[in-house]
């Protein structure tokens, strides 16, 4: 750079000498000479000084750098600027990739800066904590969460620099179970924490599945033990001398037969439900009209309807659906059988349909005892009964509606219930319409 400075100063000196010589010529004033001098000064001040600063900066970055000419110096500067532009572009691209990964993660990610304020929250964390997008940025954790243990966990990790992991149960409208792992952010292994990074996993679905599994095992055990205990008791009574009475023996054997049938129905429903949930039950879809299937079910259950003096009406048109005939027959049987069981004497059952575009909605309504509002969300769960004693008395297994739900969902449909206590229930389900064998 010193050589470049000397070269430019020599050039300015020669320029000044030439200007002096020219000033002696007629018509060339002293004012023109002043302007030439001022131009030289401005060039030195605004051009040479910045180049000198740039040179010193580059020498600090790369001490071995040498430049023998002004052109070579500019080439070196241009090369270094190009390298820096490439590095900046690469860093920008990498940052965008990291941000896209963080924003697409299923787990929640929350980060704080060196002041303890929240500097980053991905959409998953906003969804898990039910935070409005962007509202948590720039706030302290205590301003965002009311849970003292969670806020204290952020503080402890930031102060002590030791990772922590804990599970939380948030009191939201629907209980939420979370696992939070918080680690300090350091730029070096032994540097002080410059913030914390929290990974949040939503365990709600897992806890629900664990609860369902536990309930399922308990319910199956209970449902199997009840009839087995009854059968065992009658057998012991017969062995202790009850068999000598023909009338007692016949009555006990009749009850034992009924309990055995109940076990058979339970095992059959369990096997059906297992096949549906595992996907082993194949769907043999064909063009199906529901009116003939409803008539078959009515004939099968006509004795039960006659015993309770229940009227039965059907309002179904000629619209076919694309479905597995056997499975839809099972759906209709379960829904109509339930309608009969929970109808009062002299009630009525109606089966009708509604056109829903590319789907057809079918409705099975009764005028029975109805379902309490709090039980409606759980009515399709396995073994769930509104009135356990009444259901067992009528021989139900508690799996019928769960089977209905799985069958309809396998047909890409939907099932739901509308009910009012004391006024009856209406079960709705959707099935795709038949549009040709190409489906």
């Amino acid at each position: 750079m010193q050589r470049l400075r000397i070269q430019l100063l020599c050039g300015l000196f020669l320029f000044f000498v030439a200007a002096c010589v020219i000033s002696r010529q007629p018509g060339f004033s002293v004012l023109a000479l002043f302007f030439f001098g001022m131009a030289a000064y401005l060039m030195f001040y605004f051009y040479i000084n910045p180049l000198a600063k740039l040179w010193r900066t580059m020498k600090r970055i790369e001490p071995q750098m040498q430049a023998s000419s002004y052109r070579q110096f500019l080439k070196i500067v241009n090369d270094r600027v190009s390298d820096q532009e490439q590095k900046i572009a690469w860093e920008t691209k990498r940052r965008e990739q990291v941000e896209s990964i963080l924003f697409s993660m299923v787990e929640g990610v929350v980060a704080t800066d060196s002041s303890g304020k929240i500097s980053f929250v991905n959409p998953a964390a906003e969804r898990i904590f039910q935070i409005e997008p962007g509202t948590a940025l720039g706030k302290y954790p205590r301003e965002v969460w009311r849970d003292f243990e969670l806020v204290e966990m952020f503080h402890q990790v930031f102060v002590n620099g030791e990772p922590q992991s804990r599970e939380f149960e948030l009191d939201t409208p629907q209980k939420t179970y979370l696992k939070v792992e918080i680690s300090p952010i350091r730029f070096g292994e032994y540097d002080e924490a410059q913030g914390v990074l929290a990974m949040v996993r939503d365990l709600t679905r897992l806890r629900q599945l664990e609860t369902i599994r536990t309930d399922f095992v308990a319910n199956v055990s209970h449902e199997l033990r009840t009839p087995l205990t009854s059968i065992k008791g009658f057998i012991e009574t017969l062995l202790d001398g009850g068999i000598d009475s023909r009338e007692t023996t016949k009555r006990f054997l009749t009850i034992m037969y009924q309990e055995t049938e109940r076990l058979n129905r339970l095992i059959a429903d369990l096997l059906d439900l297992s096949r549906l949930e595992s996907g082993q039950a194949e769907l043999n879809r064909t063009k199906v009209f529901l009116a003939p299937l409803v008539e078959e079910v009515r004939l099968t259950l006509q004795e039960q309807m006659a015993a309770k003096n229940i009227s039965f009406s059907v309002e179904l048109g000629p619209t076919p659906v694309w479905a597995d005939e056997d499975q839809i027959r099972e759906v209709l049987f379960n829904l109509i059988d339930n309608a009969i069981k929970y109808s009062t004497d002299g009630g009525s059952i109606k089966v009708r349909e509604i056109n829903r575009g590319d789907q057809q909605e079918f409705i099975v309504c009764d005028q029975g005892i109805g379902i309490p509002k709090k039980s409606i969300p759980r009515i399709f769960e396995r073994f769930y009964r509104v009135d356990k004693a009444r259901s067992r008395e009528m021989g139900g297994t508690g799996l019928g509606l769960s089977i209905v739900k799985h069958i309809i969902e396998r047909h890409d449909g939907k099932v739901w219930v509308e009910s009012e206590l004391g006024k009856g229930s209406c079960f709705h389900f959707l099935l795709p319409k038949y549009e040709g064998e190409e489906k």
Side-chain angles (χ1 to χ4, degrees):
M1 189 64 198
Q2 190 67 26
R3 184 180 300 175
L4 294 176
R5 190 192 297 267
I6 293 173
Q7 289 176 358
L8 187 59
L9 288 175
C10 290
L12 290 174
F13 177 75
L14 293 174
F15 172 77
F16 182 75
V17 171
C20 290
V21 173
I22 294 174
S23 67
R24 296 178 180 274
Q25 301 298 323
F28 196 88
S29 65
V30 177
L31 184 60
L33 182 61
F34 173 75
F35 279 118
F36 275 114
M38 182 60 68
Y41 171 77
L42 293 175
M43 183 179 295
F44 179 84
Y45 185 81
F46 290 105
Y47 182 72
I48 293 299
N49 276 349
L51 285 178
K53 292 180 181 178
L54 177 62
W55 175 264
R56 288 193 295 269
T57 302
M58 294 186 65
K59 287 290 286 183
R60 286 197 297 268
I61 296 174
E62 189 176 344
Q64 304 300 324
M65 185 183 67
Q66 298 292 334
S68 58
S69 66
Y70 176 66
R71 179 176 294 179
Q72 185 179 1
F73 172 67
L74 289 181
K75 184 178 184 303
I76 292 173
V77 171
N78 182 67
D79 291 341
R80 295 298 181 272
V81 170
S82 298
D83 290 343
Q84 291 302 315
E85 288 178 346
Q86 290 178 0
K87 289 179 180 179
I88 291 172
W90 184 81
E91 289 292 341
T92 302
K93 183 178 180 181
R94 191 174 71 166
R95 184 183 65 186
E96 291 175 350
Q97 289 175 342
V98 172
E99 288 181 351
S100 65
I101 292 172
L102 291 174
F103 274 96
S104 60
M105 287 178 64
V106 177
E107 292 84 4
V109 180
V110 180
T112 66
D113 56 22
S114 57
S115 66
K117 293 182 178 179
I118 296 173
S119 58
F120 178 83
V121 183
N122 72 340
E126 292 175 334
R127 174 183 54 79
I128 291 171
F129 288 113
Q130 300 179 6
I131 303 171
E132 290 294 326
T135 57
L137 296 178
K139 296 181 180 179
Y140 291 103
R142 66 175 179 272
E143 299 176 301
V144 179
W145 296 289
R146 300 298 181 186
D147 191 289
F148 174 78
E149 291 187 6
L150 180 60
V151 174
E152 184 64 16
M153 190 175 173
F154 272 88
H155 177 70
Q156 290 296 327
V157 174
F158 183 75
V159 173
N160 299 329
E162 296 294 332
Q164 291 189 24
S165 177
R166 197 175 302 168
E167 292 189 10
F168 294 90
E169 181 181 333
L170 300 184
D171 290 328
T172 52
Q174 293 182 346
K175 281 192 176 181
T176 304
Y177 299 89
L178 305 178
K179 182 176 183 180
V180 181
E181 298 175 344
I182 305 182
S183 304
I185 299 174
R186 292 190 177 95
F187 298 115
E189 184 177 356
Y190 301 104
D191 292 346
E192 292 185 359
Q194 301 299 313
V196 299
L197 180 68
M199 297 289 295
V200 186
R201 294 180 177 85
D202 190 348
L203 304 179
T204 306
R205 180 59 179 164
L206 181 62
R207 292 290 178 268
Q208 289 174 345
L209 291 175
E210 289 176 352
T211 302
I212 291 173
R213 182 186 64 183
T214 303
D215 291 346
F216 177 74
V217 172
N219 284 324
V220 168
S221 300
H222 180 78
E223 294 294 335
L224 291 174
R225 183 169 59 247
T226 301
L228 287 175
T229 301
S230 177
I231 292 171
K232 180 182 178 183
F234 287 124
I235 291 175
E236 289 176 348
T237 302
L238 292 175
L239 291 175
D240 288 340
I243 197 170
D244 297 333
S245 171
R246 182 178 180 84
E247 183 179 345
T248 301
T249 301
K250 183 178 180 180
R251 182 164 58 86
F252 282 7
L253 289 175
T254 300
I255 296 174
M256 291 166 62
Y257 175 80
Q258 292 172 348
E259 294 294 336
T260 305
E261 282 296 302
R262 179 179 168 186
L263 280 174
N264 281 333
R265 287 195 301 272
L266 176 60
I267 293 171
D269 284 349
L270 283 171
L271 291 174
D272 288 343
L273 188 58
S274 176
R275 283 195 296 267
L276 289 168
E277 290 181 338
S278 64
Q280 295 178 357
E282 295 183 1
L283 273 181
N284 299 315
R285 293 195 178 195
T286 57
K287 180 180 180 181
V288 178
F289 294 94
L290 259 68
L293 297 183
V294 172
E295 180 61 18
E296 290 180 26
V297 173
R298 186 193 69 81
L299 292 173
T300 304
L301 298 172
Q302 63 182 351
E303 290 186 9
Q304 290 92 314
M305 284 189 286
K308 301 180 75 171
N309 194 27
I310 294 174
S311 62
F312 190 86
S313 61
V314 180
E315 296 178 5
L316 297 177
T319 303
V321 294
W322 181 246
D324 185 306
E325 183 174 334
D326 291 335
Q327 291 192 14
I328 299 304
R329 183 186 289 107
E330 186 172 2
V331 167
L332 292 170
F333 181 89
N334 282 326
L335 293 180
I336 296 173
D337 185 48
N338 270 358
I340 296 171
K341 288 176 180 177
Y342 295 100
S343 288
T344 55
D345 291 346
S348 66
I349 297 173
K350 178 183 289 187
V351 181
R352 58 191 180 91
E353 65 182 353
I354 300 175
N355 184 7
R356 299 293 186 191
D358 58 349
Q359 290 185 313
Q360 197 75 354
E361 179 182 344
F362 299 94
I363 309 170
V364 179
C365 288
D366 62 61
Q367 297 177 334
I369 61 176
I371 303 170
K373 189 174 181 179
K374 65 178 182 179
S375 297
I376 289 178
R378 301 190 59 191
I379 199 68
F380 293 100
E381 291 181 12
R382 292 174 294 186
F383 292 112
Y384 183 80
R385 294 183 174 95
V386 176
D387 186 340
K388 295 183 179 181
R390 182 186 179 109
S391 180
R392 290 194 180 97
E393 182 183 345
M394 292 184 293
T397 64
L399 296 173
L401 291 180
S402 183
I403 291 173
V404 168
K405 180 176 181 289
H406 279 84
I407 290 176
I408 296 302
E409 289 181 349
R410 287 204 66 198
H411 283 79
D412 304 316
K414 179 183 176 183
V415 61
W416 69 98
V417 62
E418 295 174 351
S419 182
E420 188 174 348
L421 201 60
K423 294 186 178 180
S425 306
C426 287
F427 284 85
H428 305 246
F429 62 94
L430 293 171
L431 290 175
K433 290 181 181 178
Y434 174 79
E435 295 181 0
E437 295 293 342
E438 66 274 7
K439 297 184 78 173

